[in-house]
Amino acid sequence: DAGITQSPRHKVTETGTPVTLRCHQTENHRYMYWYRQDPGHGLRLIHYSYGVKDTDKGEVSDGYSVSRSKTEDFLLTLESATSSQTSVYFCAIKLAGPGELFFGEGSRLTVL
Amino acid sequence: GESVGLHLPTLSVQEGDNSIINCAYSNSASDYFIWYKQESGKGPQFIIDIRSNMDKRQGQRVTVLLNKTVKHLSLQIAATQPGDSAVYFCAENMHGGSQGNLIFGKGTKLSVKP
């Protein structure tokens, strides 16, 4: 079975501080994604990766950066967190079909 | 299946009845549609998908119907069980190919009454 570990699962931080969320997969899936989920907006794509050092922007990428130095790890960084980035962040990997994503358990971030 | 403001559309059904969850999608060029289920406190879970060249696809207790004329997607759950209680999202793959970038709808909350 595909496995994803997100860390941290919960974080409270203050406005202006940097935050990095980590997504670790146990298999060599090529595509990895970061989504955020907010009430009234559903899930929105932040960034995705299609290989080591290959990343691209999603629909809500402003204020976020990503890195993928190893196949198994996909990092999401908020350089200077803002209250509007309070959200639940989900990492996902793409399985067989064009839209078959396997999601992690989520990381709840609160920016005060 | 689209929400208004912060409130999710809610569907309440009796255990054992059939459920129908609806979704309107936005892009007539989308070629792939997917339904996800999200239980409280968990990540979304893939249920079933359908390509744009199909009208209907069946899985185990679930059926997805696609009406491209009116850009409408529905998920039918047969003999709904308490374990089906969750938020259901439709999603479309607007780019096709293998990228898997999805646009999600805002979700419908299904509550199953025992």
Side-chain angles (χ1 to χ4, degrees):
Chain A
D1 287 343
I4 292 178
T5 303
Q6 291 188 229
S7 59
R9 293 290 314 281
H10 301 272
K11 186 173 182 65
V12 180
T13 191
E14 294 188 349
T15 298
T17 59
V19 176
T20 295
L21 305 180
R22 179 180 182 241
C23 177
H24 177 80
Q25 62 159 321
T26 56
E27 299 179 356
N28 292 324
H29 293 282
R30 179 183 175 192
Y31 288 89
M32 298 185 74
Y33 307 83
W34 277 107
Y35 282 87
R36 61 177 290 175
Q37 185 172 36
D38 306 287
H41 291 281
L43 288 131
R44 292 179 292 173
L45 181 64
I46 305 172
H47 281 279
Y48 69 99
S49 170
Y50 46 98
V52 173
K53 298 192 189 319
D54 293 323
T55 64
D56 206 348
K57 296 178 180 180
E59 63 177 303
V60 290
S61 60
D62 286 349
Y64 301 95
S65 62
V66 290
S67 65
R68 193 166 177 200
S69 59
K70 298 184 291 184
T71 299
E72 59 265 35
D73 289 326
F74 191 31
L75 304 181
L76 176 70
T77 297
L78 292 66
E79 299 291 348
S80 178
T82 67
S83 58
S84 65
Q85 293 175 310
T86 292
S87 186
V88 180
Y89 292 86
F90 287 99
C91 175
I93 54 178
K94 192 177 84 68
L95 300 181
E100 187 176 352
L101 303 185
F102 180 85
F103 284 85
E105 295 286 287
S107 294
R108 182 175 293 275
L109 176 67
T110 301
V111 184
L112 302 176
Chain B
E2 297 300 321
S3 67
V4 176
L6 299 178
H7 301 287
L8 285 175
T10 299
L11 176 65
S12 183
V13 301
Q14 202 71 37
E15 180 179 357
D17 288 351
N18 297 334
S19 303
I20 300 176
I21 301 170
N22 298 302
C23 177
Y25 63 91
S26 57
N27 191 337
S28 54
S30 294
D31 62 357
Y32 193 76
F33 304 90
I34 312 96
W35 281 100
Y36 281 84
K37 171 186 180 183
Q38 186 176 27
E39 297 175 354
S40 180
K42 295 187 177 182
Q45 177 184 5
F46 173 89
I47 302 173
I48 191 169
D49 56 17
I50 187 169
R51 292 191 180 275
S52 59
N53 61 356
M54 301 171 66
D55 298 322
K56 178 179 179 179
R57 190 173 186 210
Q58 288 184 290
Q60 188 176 13
R61 275 202 312 118
V62 294
T63 301
V64 56
L65 299 177
L66 176 63
N67 185 331
K68 294 181 287 294
T69 302
V70 295
K71 293 192 285 187
H72 184 268
L73 192 66
S74 68
L75 177 71
Q76 300 178 1
I77 303 173
T80 312
Q81 302 168 1
D84 295 325
S85 294
V87 177
Y88 289 81
F89 295 94
C90 62
E92 56 187 302
N93 185 335
M94 298 179 70
H95 298 281
S98 60
Q99 288 182 343
N101 297 2
L102 303 181
I103 301 296
F104 283 82
K106 294 179 176 61
T108 296
K109 183 176 182 179
L110 175 65
S111 297
V112 181
K113 295 177 288 187

